[in-house]
Amino acid sequence: MLSKLDSVAQLDERQFALSVRRLADSLSYGSDNSPFLGAGIEYVQSRLYQLGDPIKSIDWRVTARTGKPHVKQYEAPKRMPVYLLVDTSASMCVSSRPMSKYAWAVQLAGGLALAAIGRLSPVGLVACGDEAYQLRPSLSRLQIMQWLHRLRRHRLDERTSLSAGLRLTETMAVNRSLIIVLSDLHEPGAVATIKPLAGKHDVIVLHLIDPAERGRLGAGFLRAREAETGAAFTTTGRARWTDDAAPAHELKGGQVDHVRLQTDQPFLPHLRAFLRKRDSRARAAR
């Protein structure tokens, strides 16, 4: 198993900071201020059109019903807090690729955080492991980078505490927020904890998957040990060890936005397309 220090700290601090900023730019490119990163506007009412009102604000339904031109009025733009939950457990570090799930989760959390702050959405961060710690929503890039650098040098033998991190976030998020979970979803019961949050908040799950978790490595019999529980088991290289499609079906049934990110494939274009689609759906619902 690659240690978290080995898998995440391949870059020095300056290179890591540059990588996170590039990732933030990539995730922001082509996205407007939408619920992807917590920005939104609330419709209040329609009123009679006045000279100088923009044509695009006309409420065509009310205009057609009354025969008089009306325009929509909105509250001032609101910025929902963004909470990023990073699974820091041992299973996130098991990697068959140069970049582990954990390394990608830390960089993605950094990119999403900086992109959100760029839209003036305060960002909170929660580490979900044995040594759970958190940063309350802030607009400070310095605090975010300090948190990320601490996360890069975290412990190596942690069990997951994703469910506990979700419950903690629920107590921190007093108002409606955007909650983004970065995890391999190995903790039993984690999905069941995520689903109720979707009724109170906007929830996105970035499900990170290493190809080795699918098994079928072409080897014979294997003796292995589960990364987090330490439980020993025997299997074969041709077996399929996890069902990574099951969480997707369960989360979809709970109306939770979910995307699988496979570390052996270029997933950034896939992630950007997922976020743009989510943006478009949210705008259409307004």
Side-chain angles (χ1 to χ4, degrees), residues 1-4 7 86-94 100-103 105-106 127-131 151 154-162 182-187 213 226-229:
M1 179 180 76
L2 295 178
S3 72
K4 290 184 182 177
S7 64
V86 180
D87 187 342
T88 62
S89 60
S91 66
M92 291 284 287
C93 300
V94 178
S100 68
K101 293 175 289 184
Y102 185 78
V106 173
C128 303
D130 283 342
E131 296 183 3
L151 202 61
H154 209 47
R155 285 179 49 192
L156 316 178
D157 57 348
E158 291 189 57
R159 295 167 297 178
T160 187
S161 64
L162 182 56
L182 300 98
S183 173
D184 55 12
L185 301 180
H186 279 199
E187 180 187 359
E213 293 176 302
E226 208 282 328
E228 294 173 33
T229 65

Side-chain angles (χ1 to χ4, degrees), residues 125 164 189 194 199 227 247 253-254 259 266:
L125 295 156
I194 292 171
V259 61

